[in-house]
Amino acid sequence: MGRKNKTVDLDREHDIAPGLVAKTKKRLVVASGRSHPELASQVAKALGTELVPTEYRTFASGEILTRFEVSIRGCDVFLIQSFGQPVNEWMMELLIMLDAAKRASAKRITVVAPYFPYSRQDKKGRGREPISARLVADLLKTAGADRVMSVDLHAAQIQGFFDGPVDHLFAKPVLLEYFRSTLSADDRAKLTVVSPDTGRVRVADTWSDSLDAPLAIIHKRRDPNVANQVTVNEIVGRVEGRVCLLVDDMIDTGGTIVKAAEALKANGAERVIVAATHPVFSDPASERLQSDSIDEVVVTDTIPVPLDKRFPSLTILPIAPLLARAIKEVFEDGSVTRMFDGAA
């Protein structure tokens, strides 16, 4: 005999509609692709659960198959997939997992992509170019995603590409906590926050306010016909004798950051510290970032950094606690915005 549902009467005074209340309860489950299993496990552990047992196969032809080994019917699924190398394989795996979850009758599917793939292709720089970030959003929606969660999108307007809720998280609290605990009082007194280009000024300005430090801006030019090549033109702001904190959302080949650091040192900076959220670290980034012009590089683990790409001056901070808290807020119908003082 089936379970009897509880009846709720119309209550105009408290704005409650009449209906039935099922005895089933919401259930949060965390699943993961193969791109960053360590991060996914840390998120699940922080939430007090474990990852959904999942079968992964890559056939000789290169085709991918994924299958959830237990029922996820009616569950609130948070599917974690980051996007280091090979980005296109992880993208295809995520789409296949979304389709599997949808066909397994998951109630709601949230894609947790700490680093959003193709985020730099958010607009047309020249004629006949794609807007690939929009294409990725369309693919996620079509495959079955109800919601997207990501950290430090390269451009805020990417939120509008997805036809559904987007939780835009910020790694700034994680990075700030590290610098507040490691910078000496003397360093704090000489600290200057530096934006590596005009496009990151708004973000750098919030760092300047949080650390009560002056702001400097590097004006650079990039050849649209040559990828990953930058020319630094001038520095706006005082950096001589200062401890310069360069803040950016990602480090790819390291060309922009190294050029900026060299310019700062050439203009008399005492030390240069780099803070970035996403360690893409495409070759030859690891070699470049060990330049004499850079004293320390601090990133989060939104993307896995292989051992062969790590170096002595690199510090990697865990992003899992931030992701776990945001997932909990979404699941419990709480507020993600309050995690970032109304900025998210």
Side-chain angles (χ1 to χ4, degrees), residues 169-238:
L169 313 182
F170 302 101
K172 180 183 164 187
V174 177
L175 293 162
L176 270 178
E177 183 180 352
Y178 172 80
F179 289 118
R180 283 171 173 158
S181 63
T182 57
L183 289 174
S184 67
D186 185 49
D187 286 341
R188 291 288 296 274
K190 295 186 288 186
L191 188 65
T192 293
V193 175
V194 182
S195 172
D197 56 50
T198 53
R200 307 302 296 175
V201 171
R202 184 173 177 273
V203 173
D205 193 40
T206 66
W207 276 80
S208 175
D209 290 340
S210 297
L211 291 170
D212 193 23
L215 176 68
I217 303 164
I218 294 178
H219 178 61
K220 71 176 185 183
R221 286 193 180 275
R222 187 188 295 273
D223 186 344
N225 297 307
V226 182
N228 299 313
Q229 287 201 14
V230 172
T231 300
V232 173
N233 287 322
E234 60 180 305
I235 298 173
V236 180
R238 177 171 164 261

Side-chain angles (χ1 to χ4, degrees), residues 34 36 56 62 130 185 193 195 272 331 339:
R34 292 176 289 180
H36 201 343
Y56 312 96
V193 175
S195 172
V272 175
F331 176 68
M339 293 173 55

Side-chain angles (χ1 to χ4, degrees), residues 22 31 114 126 155-156 162 177 187 190 247 262 267 270 280 336:
R126 295 177 296 165
F162 186 76
E177 183 180 352
D187 286 341
K190 295 186 288 186
V247 294
E262 289 173 349
N267 281 268
E270 182 180 305
V280 180
V336 174

Side-chain angles (χ1 to χ4, degrees), residues 235 239 259-269 272 293:
I235 298 173
V239 298
K259 286 275 190 182
E262 289 173 349
L264 292 170
K265 282 289 179 77
N267 281 268
V272 175
S293 60

Side-chain angles (χ1 to χ4, degrees), residues 66-336:
T66 63
R67 175 181 174 271
F68 299 106
E69 297 177 353
V70 292
S71 174
I72 57 171
R73 182 182 296 274
C75 293
D76 204 340
V77 178
F78 290 83
L79 181 51
I80 301 174
Q81 184 81 310
S82 196
F83 290 93
Q85 290 293 332
V87 60
N88 296 322
E89 182 172 342
W90 299 143
M91 186 72 224
M92 195 65 208
E93 182 180 77
L94 174 60
L95 296 174
I96 291 170
M97 293 189 76
L98 278 167
D99 189 70
K102 179 175 64 174
R103 296 178 190 279
S105 300
K107 185 175 182 180
R108 181 173 67 167
I109 309 169
T110 300
V111 168
V112 182
Y115 170 60
F116 194 87
Y118 290 89
S119 59
R120 282 173 288 181
Q121 297 183 40
D122 61 300
K123 59 184 178 298
K124 289 178 66 173
R126 295 177 296 165
R128 301 183 296 280
E129 281 188 346
I131 302 180
S132 303
R134 170 60 193 263
L135 174 61
V136 169
D138 289 342
L139 288 170
L140 295 178
K141 183 67 176 179
T142 301
D146 299 294
R147 189 182 197 102
V148 171
M149 181 181 293
S150 193
V151 183
D152 283 334
L153 291 168
H154 185 66
Q157 68 261 26
I158 292 174
Q159 295 172 83
F161 293 171
F162 186 76
D163 187 17
V166 176
D167 297 299
H168 186 195
L169 313 182
F170 302 101
K172 180 183 164 187
V174 177
L175 293 162
L176 270 178
E177 183 180 352
Y178 172 80
F179 289 118
R180 283 171 173 158
S181 63
T182 57
L183 289 174
S184 67
D186 185 49
D187 286 341
R188 291 288 296 274
K190 295 186 288 186
L191 188 65
T192 293
V193 175
V194 182
S195 172
D197 56 50
T198 53
R200 307 302 296 175
V201 171
R202 184 173 177 273
V203 173
D205 193 40
T206 66
W207 276 80
S208 175
D209 290 340
S210 297
L211 291 170
D212 193 23
L215 176 68
I217 303 164
I218 294 178
H219 178 61
K220 71 176 185 183
R221 286 193 180 275
R222 187 188 295 273
D223 186 344
N225 297 307
V226 182
N228 299 313
Q229 287 201 14
V230 172
T231 300
V232 173
N233 287 322
E234 60 180 305
I235 298 173
V236 180
R238 177 171 164 261
V239 298
E240 186 177 358
R242 309 289 291 179
V243 175
C244 294
L245 178 60
L246 263 170
V247 294
D248 210 346
D249 63 321
M250 71 174 75
I251 303 175
D252 187 0
T253 62
T256 296
I257 288 295
V258 172
K259 286 275 190 182
E262 289 173 349
L264 292 170
K265 282 289 179 77
N267 281 268
E270 182 180 305
R271 290 173 60 209
V272 175
I273 303 168
V274 174
T277 303
H278 308 298
V280 180
F281 286 7
S282 303
D283 290 331
S286 295
E287 290 76 17
R288 284 176 171 173
L289 293 170
Q290 296 180 66
S291 163
D292 292 338
S293 60
I294 297 176
D295 296 278
E296 185 180 9
V297 179
V298 183
V299 297
T300 72
D301 60 350
T302 55
I303 299 173
V305 181
L307 291 176
D308 62 345
K309 292 192 175 184
R310 301 188 182 196
F311 45 92
S313 59
L314 176 66
T315 299
I316 303 175
L317 305 177
I319 202 70
L322 182 80
L323 292 174
R325 185 181 169 194
I327 288 171
K328 188 175 181 182
E329 291 291 345
V330 169
F331 176 68
E332 295 180 349
D333 298 323
S335 173
V336 174

